[in-house]
Every structure is written in C-alpha cells, then in structure tokens.
Amino acid sequence: MLYLGYVGMTVPFAFALGALIMRYPGEKWIHITRRWTMVAWGFLTCGIFLGAHWPTLCWDGVGTGAGIRSRTHR
C-alpha cells in the first residue's frame, strides 16, 4: 500500500516540478493532478492504518515479551 502511494505521488510531483521549471503561472496542472494526488493519498493513508493495526493482529506480545524478559533478567 505504501509503495503504491509513493509511486502515485510521482505524477503530481513531476507536474509540480515541470510547472516550477517552466514558470507556468496557472493552476491548471493542479486540477489535472488532483485525482492522482487523492488516490495516492488514499493508498498512503490505508498503508499507515494497516501498519498501525498489524501489531494487534499478528504480533505475539506474550511470546516476544517472554524472550525479552529472559534476556534482561539475570
């Protein structure tokens, strides 16, 4: 998900860079890339939420905690 978001942001970035280099004063490029930006932002948001929710689903805190306690306690 994050990869799709980062790759999707390259299109608006390229348009913005091109507008800066060519000194394009209008906002037409912003309207053209708005859909790309929103879709990429959606993928980034989804990836962040999945990454935040993953430890509660797949992480075994008891097993990992037991391994940490055995290494820190003498």
Side-chain angles (χ1 to χ4, degrees), residues 1-6 40 42-48 50:
M1 289 291 169
L2 288 175
Y3 179 74
L4 290 174
Y6 287 132
F43 278 120
L44 286 172
T45 303
C46 185
I48 289 171
L50 285 175

Side-chain angles (χ1 to χ4, degrees), residues 1-73:
M1 289 291 169
L2 288 175
Y3 179 74
L4 290 174
Y6 287 132
V7 169
M9 283 293 183
T10 59
V11 174
F13 176 75
F15 270 85
L17 197 62
L20 285 172
I21 291 172
M22 301 300 291
R23 297 182 185 195
Y24 186 69
E27 296 181 359
K28 186 176 179 181
W29 67 272
I30 295 173
H31 297 294
I32 292 171
T33 61
R34 182 164 299 183
R35 184 172 301 206
W36 277 95
T37 305
M38 296 304 284
V39 169
W41 175 76
F43 278 120
L44 286 172
T45 303
C46 185
I48 289 171
F49 281 129
L50 285 175
H53 193 62
W54 173 80
T56 61
L57 295 177
C58 303
W59 184 56
D60 181 19
V62 175
T64 306
I68 292 172
R69 279 193 301 275
S70 66
R71 291 185 185 138
T72 58
H73 290 260

